[in-house]
Amino acid sequence: GISSLSDVEFVERLGVGLGSGRFKARLTEANADVSLLLVEGEKYDKPGLIEWARRLKRVDHPGVPGVVQIEDVLEPGFVAQRYIDAHGLNDRVEERGPLTPVNALAMGLQTAAALRATHRQDIPHGAVATRSIRLETRDGAMDAVRIVGWRPLGPGLTHERGISNDVRALGELIYFALIGEQAPTAPEVDPIEPGAAIAISFSYLIDGALRATAAQRAILDALAREFRDHQLDIKYMVRLDRKS
């Protein structure tokens, strides 16, 4: 049969994924570099993946790289997103030190808005980390945030847990950008079952910021106040965006 990869030129492996993994690749006919999540028919739920990819394609936000192609007919199947050629947040901080409070807050708000857009399509990321946040340099403007590494939630990871992971990661990303160090370890929480309320507390970030400046602490305090004793729903990011 005809291979789905006849128009694909692989450049490098980016990481593990469903089945075969994630690659930087070029779609030769479209002349476009993509982040390609390559999967094999016997190793994944193809209908579930395609439904997930179509919802991701409906996300209209600059912080979420657009879906370029969904291969749902030929084998192997794949989902291709626009490739982001930019430094990760981890690389930026390692090279230049912590972001200024203003830039860290801007990064956090852009990340929050992008996650809000995907959550509205019932798509948690579930594994946001410093390497997932890419900062594209723009002339005369602050860096633009792009979130990479999208894939369906892994086995045993509920939708609620995925959202909880995303919100917790948001706080820890802001901490890392401000302080220049990995955030303290979050306290253990009970598994979040389907349909359960989601509660988040960022008090552990405040406790760990012993060397924070007044401006850095003010941002962390505001973050902690926003989520203290709050039962999250799909509007949580709207509140964070408006209050900040």
Side-chain angles (χ1 to χ4, degrees):
I2 301 174
S3 170
S4 65
L5 304 180
S6 59
D7 183 41
V8 175
E9 175 187 345
F10 290 93
V11 179
E12 63 177 309
R13 178 181 285 275
L14 299 177
V16 298
L18 299 176
S20 299
R22 188 185 306 277
F23 300 84
K24 177 183 179 182
R26 171 168 287 271
L27 301 181
T28 54
E29 186 173 331
N31 192 30
D33 288 338
V34 297
S35 172
L36 188 143
L37 184 63
L38 179 65
V39 291
E40 299 178 43
E42 296 180 356
K43 297 183 179 179
Y44 73 106
D45 170 19
K46 186 170 185 177
L49 175 74
I50 299 307
E51 194 274 335
W52 170 86
R54 287 173 177 165
R55 282 188 282 118
L56 183 62
K57 190 173 184 177
R58 291 196 292 269
V59 175
D60 183 16
H61 192 279
V64 182
V67 174
V68 177
Q69 184 175 339
I70 302 171
E71 180 52 68
D72 59 350
V73 177
L74 301 177
E75 294 293 343
F78 63 76
V79 178
Q81 286 182 270
R82 182 170 69 91
Y83 179 74
I84 304 299
D85 186 12
H87 282 297
L89 175 62
N90 53 336
D91 295 326
R92 178 66 59 84
V93 171
E94 181 178 336
E95 292 174 4
R96 306 182 190 178
L99 277 58
T100 65
V102 170
N103 285 332
L105 182 58
M107 181 279 301
L109 289 175
Q110 289 186 65
T111 304
L115 291 173
R116 176 183 60 194
T118 62
H119 290 179
R120 284 176 170 171
Q121 294 293 338
D122 291 330
I123 299 179
H125 187 291
V128 175
T130 55
R131 65 182 180 277
S132 309
I133 304 301
R134 301 295 171 86
L135 302 176
E136 283 191 331
T137 302
R138 298 184 292 182
D139 291 336
M142 291 182 176
D143 293 341
V145 171
R146 316 296 186 208
I147 305 177
V148 301
W150 295 92
R151 54 166 291 175
L153 296 178
L157 189 60
T158 65
H159 179 84
E160 289 78 7
R161 172 60 70 191
I163 290 179
S164 176
N165 286 356
D166 288 351
V167 178
R168 189 175 300 281
L170 173 63
E172 294 177 356
L173 289 170
I174 294 174
Y175 182 100
F176 177 78
L178 282 170
I179 309 300
E181 301 174 355
Q182 292 295 335
T185 302
E188 292 291 333
V189 295
D190 294 331
I192 300 177
E193 300 299 331
I198 302 170
I200 288 288
S201 170
F202 286 121
S203 59
Y204 70 100
L205 296 182
I206 305 297
D207 295 339
L210 300 178
R211 293 181 292 174
T213 66
Q216 293 169 339
R217 183 170 290 276
I219 293 175
L220 294 174
D221 284 341
L223 181 70
R225 286 197 306 271
E226 175 61 30
F227 289 97
R228 184 177 296 132
D229 300 325
H230 182 62
Q231 298 299 306
L232 293 179
D233 59 25
I234 202 62
K235 298 178 182 178
Y236 69 91
M237 291 298 184
V238 178
R239 281 192 291 274
L240 178 61
D241 198 7
R242 288 176 179 171
K243 287 190 176 183
S244 299

